[in-house]
């Protein structure tokens, strides 16, 4: 579990710079350039995520159970992940009304993902893993909203086709991940 926590500290720590050290971040970008910053940030993030995932897998070999969630909560996760996938796609699909309305759908998707997985997983490692992401997403969303109030983002026109495409791609991504990739990536079936 220690390896997982180290990975989480690296990954979420790098993703918390905008929450706790925005001025320092801007200084580094000014000093080294945006591309260098993005490269370093990405490298640290990938390393942290790889360590966290490896540690998560190791933690599952010797689990410590805190509670045993009822089977019905797995169904809740399946339902909650539908809007999470749609919001994930909304973060990147241009001109969709979901992003225009919510502002930061990626962080909302992470909140839903983490919260729903806390409901259905009772191992101590799972609780630490998903709680870390949930706390980060709450703080990151709050910081992003504060930045928006200080410097409102440019408004962009939305379109119904872009919004419908966002929902459609989100649903297709959900089905592919739930039916196939969850088992490959996570090692357990999403519906099982």
């Amino acid at each position: 579990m220690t390896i997982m926590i180290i990975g989480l500290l690296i990954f979420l720590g790098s993703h918390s710079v905008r929450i706790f050290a925005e001025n320092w971040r801007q200084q580094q970008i000014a000093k080294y350039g945006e591309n260098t910053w993005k490269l370093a940030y990405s490298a640290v993030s990938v390393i942290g995520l790889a360590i966290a995932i490896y540690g998560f897998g190791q933690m599952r070999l010797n689990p410590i159970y805190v509670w045993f969630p009822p089977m019905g909560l797995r169904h809740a996760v399946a339902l909650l992940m539908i809007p999470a996938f749609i919001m994930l796609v909304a973060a990147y699909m241009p001109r969709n009304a979901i992003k225009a309305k919510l502002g930061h759908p990626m962080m909302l998707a992470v909140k839903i993902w983490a919260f729903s997985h806390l409901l259905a997983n009772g191992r101590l490692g799972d609780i630490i893993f998903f709680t870390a992401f949930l706390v980060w997403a709450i703080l990151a969303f709050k910081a992003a909203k504060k930045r928006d109030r200080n410097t409102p983002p440019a408004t962009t026109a939305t379109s119904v086709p872009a919004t419908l495409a966002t929902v459609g791609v989100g649903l297709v991504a959900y089905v592919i991940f739930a039916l196939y990739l969850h088992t490959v990536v996570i090692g357990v079936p999403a519906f099982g």
Side-chain angles (χ1 to χ4, degrees):
M1 192 167 335
T2 303
I3 295 170
M4 179 189 76
I5 292 170
I6 291 169
L8 286 172
L9 287 172
I10 294 169
F11 180 76
L12 294 175
S14 66
H15 280 75
S16 297
V17 171
R18 292 204 81 181
I19 300 170
F20 299 109
E22 177 65 21
N23 290 338
W24 178 82
R25 177 183 171 272
Q26 292 300 332
Q27 291 169 355
Q28 300 313 302
I29 291 171
K31 185 175 181 180
Y32 298 108
E34 189 168 357
N35 289 337
T36 301
W37 169 261
K38 285 181 178 180
L39 182 63
Y41 172 84
S42 297
V44 169
S45 295
V46 167
I47 290 167
L49 186 59
I51 293 169
I53 290 170
Y54 174 77
F56 184 78
Q58 293 301 305
M59 171 276 305
R60 289 172 51 200
L61 298 175
N62 295 307
I64 300 168
Y65 286 91
V66 175
W67 73 302
F68 295 93
M71 183 60 90
L73 290 179
R74 289 187 182 180
H75 302 297
V77 174
L79 289 174
L80 287 169
M81 290 308 297
I82 294 170
F85 268 89
I86 292 169
M87 285 185 223
L88 179 65
V89 172
Y92 299 101
M93 184 79 72
R95 301 184 62 216
N96 73 81
I98 298 167
K99 183 174 183 176
K101 179 71 175 168
L102 299 176
H104 302 280
M106 168 66 86
M107 290 169 216
L108 294 171
V110 173
K111 283 183 192 180
I112 294 170
W113 167 77
F115 175 73
S116 66
H117 281 74
L118 275 170
L119 293 176
N121 291 285
R123 295 177 297 225
L124 179 61
D126 292 322
I127 293 167
I128 291 169
F129 188 84
F130 294 115
T131 299
F133 274 96
L134 180 59
V135 169
W136 171 83
I138 290 167
L139 294 173
F141 187 77
K142 184 177 176 182
K145 286 299 200 180
K146 182 179 179 183
R147 284 192 306 272
D148 290 351
R149 283 190 300 275
N150 294 338
T151 308
T155 57
T156 57
T158 62
S159 75
V160 172
T163 304
L164 292 174
T166 299
V167 173
V169 171
L171 290 173
V172 169
Y174 167 79
V175 168
I176 291 170
F177 195 82
L179 295 181
Y180 305 106
L181 295 179
H182 197 278
T183 303
V184 173
V185 175
I186 310 302
V188 294
F191 306 112

